[in-house]
Amino acid sequence: MRNFVFLAALGTFALGVAAQAHEDHQHSTNPLVDARQGGMTMLVANMGALSRAESAPEADAITRAAFPASGIAAFARSLPALFAAETKDVPGTRSLPAVWEDSEGFGSQIAEFQAATAGLEAAARTNDKAAFSESLARTKAACQSCHTAFRAEG
Ligand code: HEC
């Protein structure tokens, strides 16, 4: 019984932390903006899993990374739809107007991200460790490069 009370208290605490983290995030009123912000947020966790796979000692660590890598590659393919023109002025977006005003520049950032993440998935599937490391570095550079040009600070 004491254990139960303790666990119940722990659960309430965990929910409190989750709710707080949730409130830090400004909510949009548009499902496409939610999809891109939520997807981008989940990229962070998936990228963490891939970084851990890169340095893991297990022989199958890279092959097993094909699952999170395939999710990232699929998300990359969906980006043109998630940045649809009608989402330009939705409150809560941190996308700069340049996303739509310089659609060629933004398109080439997406293309680079798609190429890098397709390479990441392929390298994981073929258990090619060197190609995996190279694609992971290329993917991280693609995140940075796009944010610098197309995402508002803070
Ligand atoms: C093609 C451009 C592009 C690429 C590539 C890209 N991002 Fe983003 N990212 C954006 C833009 C634009 C926003 C702002 C989205 C909005 O608020 O409308 C954003 C937002 C985010 C956010 C904040 C989400 C939120 O909850 O507000 C995180 C975290 C993030 N990106 C992580 C990443 C990571 C990690 C990668 C690489 C694995 C990545 N992004 C790749 C353009 C990009």
Side-chain angles (χ1 to χ4, degrees):
M1 183 60 185
R2 272 180 68 181
N3 269 350
F4 174 76
V5 171
F6 173 73
L7 285 175
L10 193 68
T12 309
F13 172 75
L15 277 178
V17 171
Q20 197 179 16
H22 204 62
E23 278 160 18
D24 290 339
H25 193 272
Q26 197 183 351
H27 279 228
S28 82
T29 50
N30 182 292
L32 291 175
V33 175
D34 275 342
R36 72 192 182 217
Q37 291 182 341
M40 294 272 175
T41 299
M42 290 187 281
L43 277 184
V44 177
N46 261 14
M47 289 296 284
L50 297 188
S51 292
R52 286 192 296 280
E54 188 186 23
S55 51
E58 291 84 13
D60 64 346
I62 300 294
T63 318
R64 290 175 59 188
F67 180 66
S70 73
I72 296 177
F75 179 69
R77 293 194 298 276
S78 79
L79 287 185
L82 298 186
F83 286 93
E86 73 265 22
T87 62
K88 183 175 187 286
D89 298 316
V90 172
T93 182
R94 280 171 66 198
S95 300
L96 291 173
V99 166
W100 297 277
E101 285 161 11
D102 175 17
S103 52
E104 206 175 303
F106 189 65
S108 66
Q109 296 278 352
I110 290 181
E112 169 58 17
F113 187 55
Q114 289 174 337
T117 54
L120 201 52
E121 182 180 357
R125 288 197 191 286
T126 53
N127 201 16
D128 184 338
K129 191 156 191 202
F132 183 81
S133 289
E134 200 179 299
S135 299
L136 190 57
R138 187 178 169 189
T139 299
K140 286 179 190 165
C143 314
Q144 289 286 329
S145 162
C146 191
H147 291 162
T148 302
F150 294 102
R151 186 179 72 169
E153 293 293 324

